[in-house]
Amino acid sequence: MSGPTPPLPRWADLFLLPVINLMAALFVCGLVVLAIGENPIEALGVMLKGAFVYSGGLGYTLYYTTNFVFTGLAVATAFHAMLFNIGGEGQAYIGGLGAALAAFAIGAAPGIVALPVAIAGAALAGACWGVIPGYLQAKRGSHIVITTIMFNFIAASIMVWLLVGPMLEPGQQSPQSVPLPEGSYLPKMHEMLGAIGVETAATPLNASFLLALVSLAVFWVLIWRTRLGYNIRAVGQNPQAAHYAGINVPRTIIIAMAIAGGFAGLLATNEILGISHRVILNYTAGYGFTGIAVALMGRNHPVGIFLASLLFGALYQGGAELDFEFQSITREMVLMIQGMIILFSGALAYMFNPPLARFIARISAPKREVAHG
Amino acid sequence: MTDTNKDGSGGAAPYALELKGVSKSFGLIRANRDITLAVRPGSIHGIIGENGAGKSTLMNIVYGMHVRDEGEILVGGEPVDMRSSADAISHGIGMVHQHFMLVPTFTVLENVMLGSEGGALLREGRQAARDRIVELSERYNLRIDPDALVGDLNVGQRQRVEIIKALKGGAKILILDEPTGVLTPQEAEQLFEILKVLRDRGVSVLLITHKLAEIMEITDAVDIMRQGQIVGHRKTAETSPAELAELMVGRKVLLEVERTEANPGDVQFSASGLGYTNSQGVVELQDISFEVRAGEILGVAGVSGNGQTQLMEVLAGMRHLTAGSISILGTEVTPATETNPRIIRDLGLRHIPEDRHQHGLILHFEARENMILGVQDSDLAGTGFLMDPAAIEANCREKMRDYDVRPDAPRHFAKNFSGGNQQKIVIAREFSANPVVLLVGQPTRGVDVGAIEFIHKQLLALRDAGCAILLVSVELDEIMSLSDRIMVLCDGHNVGIVDRAEADRQTLGLMMAGQKREGHAA
Amino acid sequence: MADFLYQLLLTFDATLRIAAPLILCAMAGIFAERSGVIDISLEGKMLTGAFVAAAVAALSGSPWLGLICAIFASIFMSLVHGFACITHKGNQVISGVAINILASGLTVVIGIALFRRGGQTPTLGRDERFKPLDWIGTETLDAVPLLGVIYRQLISGHNVLVYLALLAVPLTAFIIYRTRFGLRMRAVGEVPEAVDSAGVSVTWLRYRALIIGGVFCGIAGAYLSVAQGGNFVREMSAGKGYIALAAVIFGNWRPLRAFMACLMFGFLEAATSRLQGVDLPLIGEVPTQLMLALPYVLTVLLLAGFIGRPSPPAAIGQPYHK
């Protein structure tokens, strides 16, 4: 049964509505900035410059983007199976452990061997951390939201224990592991570009960005071109019909969570294999939660996820710029924006749907108006 | 209207309930159009119509759950602006919903108190509510234990709780929406006795149903609804089932489908001693045996909820049988065998599920994606490792053409097709595989007349091509006009199997109530 | 032996102090969830309360004013949650995540704008906090062995918010099981249609449940920053809201059992911090970081049905459509 409002055209649903939601979120953030006595337009300008204009700004923006692509995919993959994966943070954290263990295990091997092993370790460990909640949901009926939340904390506890204990680098004050063998380091982007004669500013951006782009493509093929993707979407949209169609629903849920965890685990390729070359306490820094905002804003589509990641990358990098330019606004502003975006693009996603649908119906079909409509 | 004739015989006393020109739309769907009807005090007033005729919407308007777009509602001659169920309750209207509005984790007492607790603290009103339950149950013969947990009660008892709830505030008008759909014939009989007592005590009863027999048995007057409108009003004593049926469907009931005699071949599909006990330990199917031959249709009749759904799902592999065995084209399936819908489908069995929204379709998938549901692993979805969108679309286009699905738009979401065309998508998908064994559940539920005829013809064509078909429907007419033999289910048991020639309504009716036919073993 | 008992007593005392905010948040969670609304935003509401309480107390000098403002701020967050998932039928989990992240960001943003201390609020003076209340007769009872110590350490000597937390449990049980509102609220979490057809507004019931939850979370927040601590520190709720949520689940959505779960989780944490660096026979040094994960591990095991069977409200997580 259709509601009292006319249906929204597909283009408006896919493009206009997300943009309106984003604008609403930014508008409310602007009000907060005004309330604390600063100029939101000016702040936006500073952030944009910091993200794209200043030397190295773009590199940093893309470096953050890389993280968000991975965690966004982790949330989106699960979303397609109608699973709410809040566990990206924990899966990424354990992914780091996997990358490190794999790198240590392979030892001083050359990059051609060590890198794939370390990357696989990251994905595999993240996948393991996603599979357990997936299994508990599929086979034991545990609510995946609660389980993944709990798994974030469990991961954090395990990592603290490891990093102040067995993995702690001797003589170190801050909890971090010993450095990884050099074979597992991902090349920096400015080095790679320099090698082919393009000079760019030195930034943390590294080859994992390319891995993120590949992941986006793999995700698209997986969801819309493979039978597994068909099964995942079928289970997500109507598990009973999926069962009718001979799809093994529990198994599909578990696989979807494994893939989701794997994407999250790849975050380690950027942060650990690409930059720090060691596991550091809290290295995931909330990127896993940002993935929720990214997936919601990007409508679980790779193009959307990339654009949303880019936006958040710009916000993070531009947000850092705020610290220098303003007295009373800092990069925590970004956290607030993130919350607003999740609120407006996620929880209130359809608030603007009825008025927008009525508006479009009115402007697009005035001549078809009939008495009693 | 100001006449105060007390005996009511002149019809001048105010009506208990009167509707004048009531209309309601949901979006573009006009659920109720210009409804005018009047209910006499102290009478049982029927409203009959097919599923989807707008009966439930109308009653939800009267009860304030939906707000009408236009029109007037008068209670006891006074116009009332019905905006919420609280309004209805305060004007003495009680409703027993089709789906019970009871909290299973509460006691009867708590359920009855809900909404009229008699004070901010439960202590204050508890005794009064208990007294009221006892009083009502004595006056109207509604035996119930106030301290029983509702979750532990059977369906008939729950319905009594609903009636007590509806009457607790001294309601003078009681609406019952399809009250017998979930009852056994005996329970239904008890309900009717209660309704008669209510009427004799001055309560006006509005009975919503799609069952002719109930209208004839118990009502004093009846309004007939079709496609959101009232198409007739009759005094029950002055009408016949045939007339009502004609008004309901708007044409002579098509009992006979053009068909040839069956030409059954070998047994393709059979069950022997089949049983199913669900995860809560409730026995839902017991000792069911039947055979279906190639080229025949075995109909399964029964009051809905007597095990039909479970039978279909067990046969299709969606639930795992717990006793007996099934044989599909010679392959034996027992409780020890691994079954799932895929394994069963691979044996050559196809399945039109009873509920297309729940099982048959994924409403948020495009039509072309739905057209490969269940066969997504086959070549229909492309021959390579990846799925081939062009092949998927071509497959959909072809089947939409063959089965006359409108609009023939493979990229439209399934939810945007009409009920009849959604069903045609399911039927196109399953029939076009030329199945050897076919399970068909409620093939024409919520489907328009044109599509019904089309579906029936296709079904018979498939039979004539040698398919063994098991057909489940709660529409007895559909069963009788399509089946070659009819099996009757009651309470999860096979009451008996009769040949088409012997199956008249009366025989089947008795069997549906659980009576075995003399001289026939089940 | 006496020393061990004394240590145990101190651990119990610490348990109570750790458990107080958990208890308050758990009661808040029970209200929300029994009405059918998933509330993972306990964390965010508590954090908001903590910030507002500390900020107002610092600016006004009154912990009570801080407490009241914290309650209102927390209620505001509840209303945002309600607006999203009751009025607009949005996803309750997403709304909760949004509020938690929003609270993390807003508290720091406003904190920096107000105080320029990197997101912290100024340290409160003694009079600007809730002080421990020494009950009458501690001196006299000191003479009595055992009982005196228990009275001084365990019963007396807490701040008023701890007692409020303890009071919240019977209060919650009373409201839920003994009042008209409680009956309707439980019904709305199980079968909202039944409540609607009885002529009672589902929307308003759920809003009220969330508002009550907001009050409790606000008190819990104030406890963190103006009673247990002396100022607001960013992210000071540190996952306590989630532990409270775990306690709600562990308590099978019942006040008394959730209270026991809070005490258990509180005791685990208190015992863990006492055992830090201690070598126990047979076990060796206790891996305290891992011990802290126990509430989460236990909750996962419970949810998976390895310890009993949880029975959440039937309509939880589903927006009500007429």
Side-chain angles (χ1 to χ4, degrees):
Chain A
M1 194 162 292
S2 74
T5 46
L8 203 58
R10 218 160 162 176
W11 61 270
D13 185 43
L14 285 179
F15 302 105
L16 195 53
L17 199 56
V19 170
I20 290 176
N21 288 334
L22 176 65
M23 289 301 152
L26 292 179
F27 178 73
V28 177
C29 291
L31 291 184
V32 174
V33 175
L34 267 183
I36 58 175
E38 297 285 355
N39 183 343
I41 306 289
E42 214 177 298
L44 189 67
V46 167
M47 288 174 81
L48 283 177
K49 268 191 224 150
F52 297 109
V53 178
Y54 296 146
S55 166
L58 183 63
Y60 271 95
T61 297
L62 292 179
Y63 144 70
Y64 286 117
T65 303
T66 307
N67 284 343
F68 301 138
V69 166
F70 289 131
T71 56
L73 288 176
V75 179
T77 308
F79 259 141
H80 276 291
M82 265 329 158
L83 301 166
F84 200 156
N85 178 20
I86 307 195
E89 189 79 4
Q91 290 146 17
Y93 214 172
I94 297 293
L97 180 64
L101 292 181
F104 287 129
I106 198 81
I112 192 93
V113 182
L115 259 176
V117 169
I119 292 172
L124 210 64
C128 288
W129 212 244
V131 150
I132 306 170
Y135 171 84
L136 293 174
Q137 165 84 57
K139 299 279 189 182
R140 316 264 333 171
S142 315
H143 199 312
I144 194 127
V145 169
I146 307 291
T147 322
T148 48
I149 290 174
M150 298 299 147
F151 264 65
N152 285 338
F153 286 106
I154 297 172
S157 299
I158 292 176
M159 294 302 280
V160 173
W161 175 65
L162 286 173
L163 289 174
V164 301
M167 283 179 81
L168 180 66
E169 184 178 11
Q172 262 296 337
Q173 288 300 311
S174 59
Q176 58 180 44
S177 73
V178 292
L180 269 49
E182 251 179 73
S184 63
Y185 295 0
L186 274 172
K188 291 276 195 315
M189 201 60 97
H190 59 90
E191 296 164 1
M192 289 160 68
L193 288 173
I196 56 165
V198 185
E199 286 305 317
T200 48
T203 66
L205 185 65
N206 57 71
S208 64
F209 176 66
L210 303 176
L211 186 64
L213 295 182
V214 172
S215 297
L216 284 165
V218 166
F219 172 80
W220 183 82
V221 171
L222 168 79
I223 295 294
W224 281 283
R225 283 295 178 271
T226 67
R227 287 166 170 88
L228 175 60
Y230 180 92
N231 292 358
I232 289 175
R233 287 184 296 125
V235 166
Q237 292 295 339
N238 185 344
Q240 290 171 303
H243 175 58
Y244 157 82
I247 296 166
N248 186 330
V249 176
R251 192 170 69 196
T252 307
I253 286 175
I254 294 169
I255 293 175
M257 279 306 292
I259 297 171
F263 279 131
L266 287 178
L267 177 79
T269 60
N270 190 20
E271 288 292 329
I272 293 178
L273 304 182
I275 297 160
S276 65
H277 307 310
R278 62 176 85 222
V279 188
I280 300 172
L281 192 73
N282 289 333
Y283 87 88
T284 50
Y287 298 130
F289 293 112
T290 311
I292 298 168
V294 166
L296 287 171
M297 242 187 88
R299 292 293 193 98
N300 306 315
H301 190 281
V303 174
I305 289 170
F306 180 75
L307 292 176
S309 299
L310 195 61
L311 174 82
F312 274 103
L315 285 175
Y316 266 63
Q317 168 52 19
E321 212 63 40
L322 290 174
D323 293 354
F324 302 115
E325 300 274 337
F326 291 92
Q327 283 248 293
S328 45
I329 37 183
T330 58
R331 58 187 318 167
E332 275 75 17
M333 183 67 77
V334 176
L335 213 52
M336 179 186 83
I337 298 175
Q338 188 180 326
M340 290 290 183
I341 288 179
I342 296 179
L343 189 66
F344 281 92
S345 299
L348 289 169
Y350 293 97
M351 179 167 67
F352 295 111
N353 194 339
L356 184 64
R358 277 195 290 273
F359 178 72
I360 290 176
R362 198 162 56 230
I363 58 167
S364 63
K367 43 195 171 296
R368 271 184 278 154
E369 193 95 38
V370 194
H372 302 294
Chain B
M1 280 312 212
T2 50
D3 199 329
T4 50
N5 189 348
K6 289 262 163 60
D7 68 11
S9 61
Y15 289 110
L17 174 73
E18 205 177 348
L19 304 186
K20 289 181 180 171
V22 170
S23 296
K24 174 76 185 174
S25 298
F26 296 102
L28 302 173
I29 299 161
R30 304 188 65 189
N32 284 160
R33 268 182 288 177
D34 196 24
I35 302 282
T36 296
L37 64 83
V39 179
R40 286 180 191 287
S43 71
I44 299 181
H45 190 109
I47 293 181
I48 192 165
E50 288 188 298
N51 290 328
K55 307 183 297 280
S56 290
T57 304
L58 183 62
M59 288 308 112
N60 281 327
I61 290 172
V62 173
Y63 192 61
M65 302 276 277
H66 293 320
V67 180
R68 67 203 183 284
D69 298 335
E70 300 167 31
E72 250 192 308
I73 300 175
L74 293 87
V75 177
E78 299 291 324
V80 174
D81 188 22
M82 215 64 87
R83 304 219 139 251
S84 74
S85 34
D87 291 338
I89 293 165
S90 70
H91 285 92
I93 301 178
M95 181 154 177
V96 175
H97 297 268
Q98 194 172 354
H99 306 288
F100 295 156
M101 303 283 184
L102 297 172
V103 183
T105 53
F106 281 12
T107 62
V108 170
L109 181 65
E110 287 174 317
N111 268 291
V112 172
M113 286 179 80
L114 188 65
S116 57
E117 295 81 353
L121 299 181
L122 294 179
R123 184 165 43 83
E124 299 166 29
R126 191 172 277 136
Q127 193 53 46
R130 187 186 296 276
D131 293 345
R132 186 84 178 124
I133 294 174
V134 172
E135 181 201 332
L136 286 171
S137 59
E138 276 169 10
R139 193 191 316 166
Y140 300 120
N141 197 19
L142 296 156
R143 305 239 159 268
I144 206 80
D145 171 13
D147 296 312
L149 210 57
V150 165
D152 296 337
L153 301 181
N154 68 32
V155 177
Q157 291 170 320
R158 289 187 198 199
Q159 193 167 54
R160 270 177 251 163
V161 179
E162 281 282 21
I163 294 175
I164 289 174
K165 263 175 67 183
L167 294 174
K168 68 182 172 189
K172 301 303 286 176
I173 301 170
L174 180 65
I175 304 170
L176 295 109
D177 191 2
E178 301 280 2
T180 60
V182 289
L183 299 184
T184 64
Q186 290 76 13
E187 284 173 328
E189 212 43 60
Q190 285 171 12
L191 172 70
F192 288 161
E193 289 310 313
I194 291 166
L195 295 186
K196 283 177 195 161
V197 175
L198 285 168
R199 172 184 59 190
D200 296 343
R201 302 278 158 98
V203 177
S204 309
V205 177
L206 252 128
L207 177 69
I208 319 305
T209 181
H210 69 280
K211 294 179 184 167
L212 288 165
E214 290 173 6
I215 292 291
M216 297 309 295
E217 179 178 347
I218 189 163
T219 62
D220 301 308
V222 56
D223 276 288
I224 303 95
M225 280 190 85
R226 186 172 77 228
Q227 289 169 1
Q229 288 178 295
I230 298 279
V231 293
H233 172 81
R234 295 288 185 274
K235 285 199 167 120
T236 310
E238 297 166 6
T239 187
S240 68
E243 187 192 22
L244 291 179
E246 196 184 324
L247 284 164
M248 268 167 74
V249 297
R251 66 194 154 93
K252 288 282 179 201
V253 184
L254 181 74
L255 285 179
E256 286 303 317
V257 184
E258 216 173 293
R259 53 176 285 156
T260 54
E261 271 314 297
N263 192 9
D266 299 333
V267 173
Q268 303 281 44
F269 178 43
S270 66
S272 143
L274 179 70
Y276 173 70
T277 306
N278 71 13
S279 54
Q280 272 95 50
V282 179
V283 177
E284 299 197 298
L285 295 174
Q286 207 169 14
D287 194 25
I288 290 180
S289 304
F290 61 82
E291 290 181 340
V292 192
R293 292 170 179 278
E296 75 163 352
I297 297 178
L298 176 67
V300 179
V303 178
S304 94
N306 272 277
Q308 294 97 321
T309 304
Q310 290 83 349
L311 178 66
M312 291 288 273
E313 295 190 5
V314 167
L315 293 175
M318 292 168 70
R319 304 183 193 214
H320 198 73
L321 71 166
T322 51
S325 67
I326 306 167
S327 164
I328 302 168
L329 298 173
T331 306
E332 199 81 355
V333 178
T334 66
T337 6
E338 190 199 346
T339 53
N340 63 46
R342 163 172 310 234
I343 292 173
I344 301 292
R345 188 176 275 115
D346 288 347
L347 291 176
L349 178 142
R350 286 311 194 96
H351 176 199
I352 310 277
E354 286 184 303
D355 186 334
R356 59 178 168 269
H357 289 175
Q358 206 175 18
H359 291 122
L361 291 169
I362 297 176
L363 293 176
H364 285 85
F365 268 21
E366 294 170 355
R368 56 180 182 158
E369 292 176 302
N370 273 295
M371 207 60 100
I372 55 165
L373 187 68
V375 285
Q376 65 272 21
D377 292 342
S378 76
D379 286 352
L380 292 179
T383 48
F385 169 70
L386 297 180
M387 290 179 129
D388 178 357
I392 291 169
E393 181 147 347
N395 166 60
C396 184
R397 226 170 250 299
E398 182 193 327
K399 284 174 185 161
M400 285 180 134
R401 196 181 55 237
D402 292 351
Y403 288 82
D404 192 32
V405 181
R406 286 177 227 180
D408 58 343
R411 286 171 183 245
H412 276 210
F413 287 115
K415 62 176 177 175
N416 294 335
F417 288 86
S418 72
N421 283 298
Q422 287 176 344
Q423 186 71 348
K424 281 188 190 171
I425 293 175
V426 179
I427 284 178
R429 182 181 71 213
E430 303 302 317
F431 281 17
S432 61
N434 292 319
V436 205
V437 177
L438 183 66
L439 301 176
V440 185
Q442 315 290 0
T444 56
R445 178 188 278 173
V447 166
D448 56 279
V449 178
I452 291 177
E453 290 190 359
F454 177 83
I455 291 168
H456 283 177
K457 270 190 193 140
Q458 293 288 333
L459 207 52
L460 287 169
L462 213 53
R463 179 200 73 162
D464 293 340
C467 181
I469 299 173
L470 186 96
L471 168 71
V472 166
S473 173
V474 290
E475 305 297 333
L476 199 51
D477 292 337
E478 184 165 54
I479 293 281
M480 289 171 68
S481 59
L482 291 175
S483 313
D484 299 304
R485 291 183 302 132
I486 298 169
M487 170 166 81
V488 182
L489 283 189
C490 179
D491 202 18
H493 287 78
N494 176 3
V495 183
I497 296 178
V498 289
D499 277 340
R500 171 185 174 73
E502 304 167 42
D504 54 58
R505 295 189 77 94
Q506 201 185 352
T507 315
L508 292 176
L510 284 171
M511 290 173 75
M512 282 159 70
Q515 290 188 25
K516 294 201 176 188
R517 294 178 68 224
E518 284 164 35
H520 272 258
Chain C
M1 188 62 192
D3 184 52
F4 174 73
L5 279 179
Y6 188 65
Q7 289 294 326
L8 198 64
L9 193 65
L10 287 184
T11 311
F12 281 139
D13 183 50
T15 298
L16 213 51
R17 273 183 274 123
I18 294 168
L22 301 183
I23 294 167
L24 286 161
C25 279
M27 296 306 127
I30 286 177
F31 273 100
E33 304 226 348
R34 284 304 282 261
S35 81
V37 181
I38 295 177
D39 201 358
I40 64 170
S41 63
L42 298 173
E43 176 85 4
K45 283 185 266 197
M46 180 163 50
L47 190 64
T48 308
F51 170 72
V52 172
V56 172
L59 293 174
S60 72
S62 160
W64 289 100
L65 193 62
L67 174 69
I68 290 167
C69 291
I71 289 173
F72 278 107
S74 172
I75 289 177
F76 175 77
M77 287 304 207
S78 283
L79 292 177
V80 171
H81 192 41
F83 180 71
C85 54
I86 303 173
T87 304
H88 285 286
K89 304 183 186 351
N91 184 306
Q92 299 171 357
V93 174
I94 295 178
S95 171
V97 171
I99 288 172
N100 287 343
I101 294 181
L102 207 54
S104 296
L106 268 179
T107 49
V108 178
V109 165
I110 298 176
I112 288 172
L114 281 179
F115 301 107
R116 308 271 154 89
R117 286 166 187 255
Q120 297 195 3
T121 62
T123 307
L124 299 170
R126 266 188 66 77
D127 290 341
E128 295 166 334
R129 305 182 196 180
F130 288 105
K131 284 167 297 207
L133 304 174
D134 270 321
W135 286 26
I136 44 158
T138 41
E139 304 296 329
T140 22
L141 267 177
D142 267 350
V144 186
L146 198 61
L147 202 64
V149 190
I150 290 179
Y151 186 72
R152 174 181 280 277
Q153 291 295 344
L154 203 56
I155 299 179
S156 165
H158 296 288
N159 66 69
V160 61
L161 298 186
V162 173
Y163 299 113
L164 218 53
L166 293 175
L167 212 62
V169 180
L171 184 70
T172 302
F174 179 81
I175 293 176
I176 288 183
Y177 295 116
R178 298 291 170 88
T179 68
R180 171 174 61 194
F181 169 72
L183 182 79
R184 292 176 174 186
M185 194 191 85
R186 280 183 288 140
V188 94
E190 297 283 340
V191 187
E193 299 81 11
V195 175
D196 190 16
S197 92
V200 181
S201 164
V202 171
T203 305
W204 176 221
L205 266 173
R206 288 188 168 166
Y207 263 108
R208 274 183 290 174
L210 285 184
I211 289 170
I212 296 174
V215 173
F216 284 140
C217 285
I219 301 175
Y223 175 85
L224 294 184
S225 63
V226 293
Q228 193 181 34
N231 69 341
F232 174 83
V233 185
R234 58 166 72 182
E235 301 293 345
M236 80 181 304
S237 51
K240 289 188 176 64
Y242 292 110
I243 296 200
L245 189 65
V248 171
I249 297 166
F250 223 84
N252 217 355
W253 290 267
R254 291 159 191 268
L256 195 63
R257 293 196 207 175
F259 168 67
M260 302 301 276
C262 289
L263 287 184
M264 182 177 83
F265 293 163
F267 178 77
L268 270 173
E269 197 182 323
T272 305
S273 64
R274 295 216 153 251
L275 291 174
Q276 198 133 34
V278 178
D279 259 318
L280 285 183
L282 296 178
I283 309 171
E285 192 172 331
V286 181
T288 46
Q289 297 88 1
L290 287 185
M291 292 272 289
L292 289 178
L294 263 180
Y296 309 114
V297 174
L298 286 174
T299 305
V300 167
L301 291 177
L302 179 90
L303 267 179
F306 294 113
I307 331 169
R309 258 266 153 242
S311 52
I316 196 164
Q318 300 155 7
Y320 179 64
H321 295 276
K322 260 200 170 176

